[in-house]
C-alpha cells in the first residue's frame, strides 16, 4: 500500500504562485510514477504533470507547460508542484497519484487539496 497526502492549496490572485506538496509513504518503491491531477467543478479530472522517482523524468499537460514545475525530494519522499502565473482556469481540487511503471492506470490517490485562483 502507498499513502499520499497533499498540502499547500489555498486562495491566490491571478498571476500569483503556489507550491503543492505530496508526501508519500508505504511501499513507494513499487510505484515509480507520481502524477498530479486536477478537477474543476462540473468537469472531468485532468492530468497536470508527472515525474518518476527513479530518473526524474517529467511530463506536463500543454495547458500548464512553462508555468508549472514538478520536482521530487527523494530523501523526504515528497513530490512538489510549483505553480506560477496562475489563471482562474487553474482552479480545482489537485490530487496526487502513483502507479507502477508497468501499469496504465494510477493506483493510489491522495485526498486532494483545493486551489482557487481569483480574477
Amino acid at each position: 500500500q502507498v499513502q499520499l497526502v497533499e498540502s499547500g492549496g489555498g486562495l491566490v490572485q491571478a498571476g500569483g504562485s503556489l507550491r503543492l506538496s505530496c508526501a508519500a509513504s508505504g511501499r513507494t518503491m513499487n510505484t515509480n510514477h507520481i502524477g498530479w491531477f486536477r478537477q474543476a467543478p462540473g468537469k472531468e479530472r485532468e492530468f497536470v504533470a508527472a515525474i518518476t522517482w527513479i530518473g526524474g523524468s517529467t511530463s506536463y499537460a500543454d495547458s500548464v507547460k512553462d508555468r508549472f514545475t514538478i520536482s521530487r525530494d527523494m530523501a523526504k519522499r515528497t513530490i512538489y508542484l510549483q505553480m506560477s502565473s496562475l489563471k482562474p482556469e487553474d482552479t480545482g481540487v489537485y490530487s496526487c497519484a502513483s502507479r507502477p511503471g508497468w501499469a496504465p492506470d494510477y493506483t493510489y490517490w491522495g485526498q486532494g487539496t483545493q486551489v482557487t485562483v481569483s480574477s
Side-chain angles (χ1 to χ4, degrees):
Q1 292 289 333
V2 175
Q3 294 78 43
L4 302 169
V5 179
E6 302 95 334
S7 62
L11 173 65
V12 64
Q13 288 188 331
S17 299
L18 275 178
R19 188 178 79 158
L20 305 182
S21 300
C22 172
S25 60
R27 301 171 70 90
T28 58
M29 292 309 294
N30 292 341
T31 55
N32 189 41
H33 291 249
I34 307 291
W36 281 100
F37 295 78
R38 67 187 181 189
Q39 186 167 21
K43 294 187 177 181
E44 292 193 357
R45 184 167 57 199
E46 63 175 353
F47 169 78
V48 175
I51 192 168
T52 58
W53 284 118
I54 300 172
S57 297
T58 60
S59 59
Y60 296 90
D62 288 341
S63 59
V64 305
K65 208 171 289 186
D66 299 326
R67 298 189 299 122
F68 290 11
T69 301
I70 190 170
S71 62
R72 74 204 194 293
D73 184 324
M74 299 284 283
K76 295 182 179 179
R77 302 306 286 177
T78 299
I79 301 293
Y80 302 100
L81 185 68
Q82 178 67 49
M83 306 185 293
S84 303
S85 302
L86 283 162
K87 305 174 182 179
E89 51 264 43
D90 293 318
T91 294
V93 176
Y94 283 69
S95 301
C96 62
S98 66
R99 64 174 177 86
W102 52 264
D105 299 320
Y106 283 81
T107 308
Y108 302 101
W109 291 83
Q111 82 288 350
T113 185
Q114 176 71 45
V115 172
T116 303
V117 184
S118 63
S119 57

